[in-house]
PDB file of all heavy atoms in Angstrom:
ATOM      1  N   PHE S 277     -30.848 -14.349 -31.490  1.00  0.00           N
ATOM      2  CA  PHE S 277     -29.983 -15.379 -31.039  1.00  0.00           C
ATOM      3  C   PHE S 277     -30.696 -16.286 -30.034  1.00  0.00           C
ATOM      4  O   PHE S 277     -31.354 -15.802 -29.056  1.00  0.00           O
ATOM      5  CB  PHE S 277     -28.770 -14.781 -30.321  1.00  0.00           C
ATOM      6  CG  PHE S 277     -27.842 -13.964 -31.224  1.00  0.00           C
ATOM      7  CD1 PHE S 277     -28.011 -12.666 -31.456  1.00  0.00           C
ATOM      8  CD2 PHE S 277     -26.768 -14.649 -31.887  1.00  0.00           C
ATOM      9  CE1 PHE S 277     -27.137 -11.897 -32.238  1.00  0.00           C
ATOM     10  CE2 PHE S 277     -25.899 -13.926 -32.689  1.00  0.00           C
ATOM     11  CZ  PHE S 277     -26.104 -12.571 -32.839  1.00  0.00           C
ATOM     12  N   ASP S 278     -30.624 -17.553 -30.251  1.00  0.00           N
ATOM     13  CA  ASP S 278     -30.988 -18.624 -29.275  1.00  0.00           C
ATOM     14  C   ASP S 278     -32.423 -18.711 -28.983  1.00  0.00           C
ATOM     15  O   ASP S 278     -32.964 -19.762 -28.712  1.00  0.00           O
ATOM     16  CB  ASP S 278     -30.209 -18.415 -27.976  1.00  0.00           C
ATOM     17  CG  ASP S 278     -28.705 -18.538 -28.194  1.00  0.00           C
ATOM     18  OD1 ASP S 278     -28.287 -19.194 -29.189  1.00  0.00           O
ATOM     19  OD2 ASP S 278     -27.956 -18.056 -27.356  1.00  0.00           O
ATOM     20  N   GLN S 279     -33.199 -17.618 -28.973  1.00  0.00           N
ATOM     21  CA  GLN S 279     -34.606 -17.690 -28.782  1.00  0.00           C
ATOM     22  C   GLN S 279     -35.241 -16.361 -29.243  1.00  0.00           C
ATOM     23  O   GLN S 279     -34.563 -15.344 -29.267  1.00  0.00           O
ATOM     24  CB  GLN S 279     -35.019 -17.913 -27.338  1.00  0.00           C
ATOM     25  CG  GLN S 279     -34.656 -16.882 -26.358  1.00  0.00           C
ATOM     26  CD  GLN S 279     -35.084 -17.196 -24.932  1.00  0.00           C
ATOM     27  OE1 GLN S 279     -35.461 -18.353 -24.626  1.00  0.00           O
ATOM     28  NE2 GLN S 279     -35.114 -16.201 -24.062  1.00  0.00           N
ATOM     29  N   PRO S 280     -36.494 -16.379 -29.760  1.00  0.00           N
ATOM     30  CA  PRO S 280     -37.091 -15.178 -30.298  1.00  0.00           C
ATOM     31  C   PRO S 280     -36.979 -13.969 -29.359  1.00  0.00           C
ATOM     32  O   PRO S 280     -37.198 -14.109 -28.126  1.00  0.00           O
ATOM     33  CB  PRO S 280     -38.564 -15.612 -30.532  1.00  0.00           C
ATOM     34  CG  PRO S 280     -38.485 -17.092 -30.687  1.00  0.00           C
ATOM     35  CD  PRO S 280     -37.385 -17.548 -29.797  1.00  0.00           C
ATOM     36  N   GLY S 281     -36.587 -12.851 -29.899  1.00  0.00           N
ATOM     37  CA  GLY S 281     -36.498 -11.610 -29.148  1.00  0.00           C
ATOM     38  C   GLY S 281     -35.097 -11.309 -28.639  1.00  0.00           C
ATOM     39  O   GLY S 281     -34.833 -10.161 -28.206  1.00  0.00           O
ATOM     40  N   ASN S 282     -34.163 -12.278 -28.585  1.00  0.00           N
ATOM     41  CA  ASN S 282     -32.831 -12.019 -28.145  1.00  0.00           C
ATOM     42  C   ASN S 282     -31.996 -11.357 -29.222  1.00  0.00           C
ATOM     43  O   ASN S 282     -31.632 -12.039 -30.210  1.00  0.00           O
ATOM     44  CB  ASN S 282     -32.176 -13.376 -27.720  1.00  0.00           C
ATOM     45  CG  ASN S 282     -32.600 -13.843 -26.365  1.00  0.00           C
ATOM     46  OD1 ASN S 282     -33.382 -13.142 -25.692  1.00  0.00           O
ATOM     47  ND2 ASN S 282     -32.108 -14.967 -25.949  1.00  0.00           N
ATOM     48  N   LEU S 283     -31.714 -10.093 -29.017  1.00  0.00           N
ATOM     49  CA  LEU S 283     -30.894  -9.404 -30.005  1.00  0.00           C
ATOM     50  C   LEU S 283     -29.365  -9.605 -29.789  1.00  0.00           C
ATOM     51  O   LEU S 283     -28.571  -9.211 -30.632  1.00  0.00           O
ATOM     52  CB  LEU S 283     -31.222  -7.885 -29.933  1.00  0.00           C
ATOM     53  CG  LEU S 283     -32.681  -7.527 -30.223  1.00  0.00           C
ATOM     54  CD1 LEU S 283     -32.857  -6.012 -30.178  1.00  0.00           C
ATOM     55  CD2 LEU S 283     -33.127  -8.097 -31.559  1.00  0.00           C
ATOM     56  N   THR S 284     -29.025 -10.190 -28.625  1.00  0.00           N
ATOM     57  CA  THR S 284     -27.599 -10.444 -28.345  1.00  0.00           C
ATOM     58  C   THR S 284     -27.500 -11.856 -27.661  1.00  0.00           C
ATOM     59  O   THR S 284     -28.501 -12.408 -27.203  1.00  0.00           O
ATOM     60  CB  THR S 284     -26.998  -9.434 -27.399  1.00  0.00           C
ATOM     61  OG1 THR S 284     -27.667  -9.470 -26.152  1.00  0.00           O
ATOM     62  CG2 THR S 284     -27.019  -7.992 -27.991  1.00  0.00           C
ATOM     63  N   SER S 285     -26.279 -12.337 -27.607  1.00  0.00           N
ATOM     64  CA  SER S 285     -26.028 -13.580 -26.887  1.00  0.00           C
ATOM     65  C   SER S 285     -24.696 -13.408 -26.145  1.00  0.00           C
ATOM     66  O   SER S 285     -23.719 -12.822 -26.652  1.00  0.00           O
ATOM     67  CB  SER S 285     -25.882 -14.784 -27.827  1.00  0.00           C
ATOM     68  OG  SER S 285     -25.454 -15.949 -27.121  1.00  0.00           O
ATOM     69  N   ASN S 286     -24.601 -13.900 -24.892  1.00  0.00           N
ATOM     70  CA  ASN S 286     -23.390 -13.818 -24.057  1.00  0.00           C
ATOM     71  C   ASN S 286     -22.640 -15.107 -24.036  1.00  0.00           C
ATOM     72  O   ASN S 286     -21.741 -15.296 -23.210  1.00  0.00           O
ATOM     73  CB  ASN S 286     -23.772 -13.413 -22.646  1.00  0.00           C
ATOM     74  CG  ASN S 286     -24.351 -11.999 -22.568  1.00  0.00           C
ATOM     75  OD1 ASN S 286     -25.490 -11.815 -22.030  1.00  0.00           O
ATOM     76  ND2 ASN S 286     -23.660 -10.993 -23.120  1.00  0.00           N
ATOM     77  N   LEU S 287     -22.949 -16.009 -24.985  1.00  0.00           N
ATOM     78  CA  LEU S 287     -22.222 -17.250 -25.081  1.00  0.00           C
ATOM     79  C   LEU S 287     -21.056 -17.046 -26.105  1.00  0.00           C
ATOM     80  O   LEU S 287     -21.197 -16.358 -27.085  1.00  0.00           O
ATOM     81  CB  LEU S 287     -23.095 -18.405 -25.590  1.00  0.00           C
ATOM     82  CG  LEU S 287     -24.257 -18.745 -24.686  1.00  0.00           C
ATOM     83  CD1 LEU S 287     -25.154 -19.776 -25.359  1.00  0.00           C
ATOM     84  CD2 LEU S 287     -23.777 -19.220 -23.282  1.00  0.00           C
ATOM     85  N   GLU S 288     -19.904 -17.679 -25.782  1.00  0.00           N
ATOM     86  CA  GLU S 288     -18.844 -17.566 -26.802  1.00  0.00           C
ATOM     87  C   GLU S 288     -19.267 -18.212 -28.114  1.00  0.00           C
ATOM     88  O   GLU S 288     -18.906 -17.691 -29.165  1.00  0.00           O
ATOM     89  CB  GLU S 288     -17.574 -18.245 -26.244  1.00  0.00           C
ATOM     90  CG  GLU S 288     -16.390 -18.164 -27.187  1.00  0.00           C
ATOM     91  CD  GLU S 288     -15.133 -18.861 -26.677  1.00  0.00           C
ATOM     92  OE1 GLU S 288     -15.244 -19.672 -25.704  1.00  0.00           O
ATOM     93  OE2 GLU S 288     -14.020 -18.615 -27.210  1.00  0.00           O
ATOM     94  N   ARG S 289     -19.988 -19.267 -28.021  1.00  0.00           N
ATOM     95  CA  ARG S 289     -20.483 -19.966 -29.199  1.00  0.00           C
ATOM     96  C   ARG S 289     -22.001 -20.131 -29.026  1.00  0.00           C
ATOM     97  O   ARG S 289     -22.400 -21.152 -28.409  1.00  0.00           O
ATOM     98  CB  ARG S 289     -19.767 -21.311 -29.501  1.00  0.00           C
ATOM     99  CG  ARG S 289     -20.075 -21.996 -30.767  1.00  0.00           C
ATOM    100  CD  ARG S 289     -19.311 -23.249 -30.936  1.00  0.00           C
ATOM    101  NE  ARG S 289     -17.867 -23.029 -31.184  1.00  0.00           N
ATOM    102  CZ  ARG S 289     -17.282 -22.858 -32.363  1.00  0.00           C
ATOM    103  NH1 ARG S 289     -18.062 -22.852 -33.460  1.00  0.00           N
ATOM    104  NH2 ARG S 289     -16.022 -22.634 -32.499  1.00  0.00           N
TER     105      ARG S 289
END
Side-chain angles (χ1 to χ4, degrees):
F277 294 89
D278 297 339
Q279 64 181 14
N282 280 359
L283 301 181
T284 62
S285 173
N286 296 125
L287 300 175
E288 181 181 13
R289 188 177 289 272

